[in-house]
Amino acid sequence: ARGDVNGDGREDLLVMYRVSEQKNMMRVILDLDEGFLATNEVPAPIEDQIIQFKDIDKKPPMEFIVQGSKGNKTGFAVFRIENNQLVDLFGEGMEDCC
């Protein structure tokens, strides 16, 4: 998914990828003045992934919500970029769906 997640006016790229059959990870590729930068990686849902960009606190940077499942377990988490790092603000059930 694409969106300006660090508030610099450039679209960044949120990428989810499979590490093994039962493990997905995600990171953001930031489009910065000096080039591209990959953030730290965090666990991501295995199935039914949904990404929604939402300015929850009405100030930059943009937060985004990741939802998904693994089998019959579902979860969600709210993330934001802080100091070019992907930070999990809060969520529920992600430990079961990632």
Side-chain angles (χ1 to χ4, degrees), residues 7-73:
D8 66 357
R10 292 186 172 99
E11 278 199 335
D12 306 296
L13 181 65
L14 191 151
V15 180
M16 289 186 197
Y17 50 95
R18 183 153 299 214
V19 175
S20 68
E21 190 170 318
Q22 292 299 310
K23 184 176 182 180
N24 282 0
M25 300 296 281
M26 105 178 139
R27 63 176 64 215
V28 175
I29 309 302
L30 298 169
D31 183 357
L32 304 173
D33 284 336
E34 58 275 5
F36 295 102
L37 175 72
T39 66
N40 53 309
E41 61 181 5
V42 297
I46 301 294
E47 304 165 330
D48 305 317
Q49 300 96 342
I50 298 172
I51 301 165
Q52 181 180 19
F53 297 100
K54 186 140 182 101
D55 190 5
I56 294 170
D57 62 2
K58 305 296 184 212
K59 62 181 182 179
M62 174 83 67
E63 291 80 25
F64 53 95
I65 303 164
V66 175
Q67 298 170 233
S69 64
K70 179 179 179 182
N72 63 352
K73 306 285 185 178

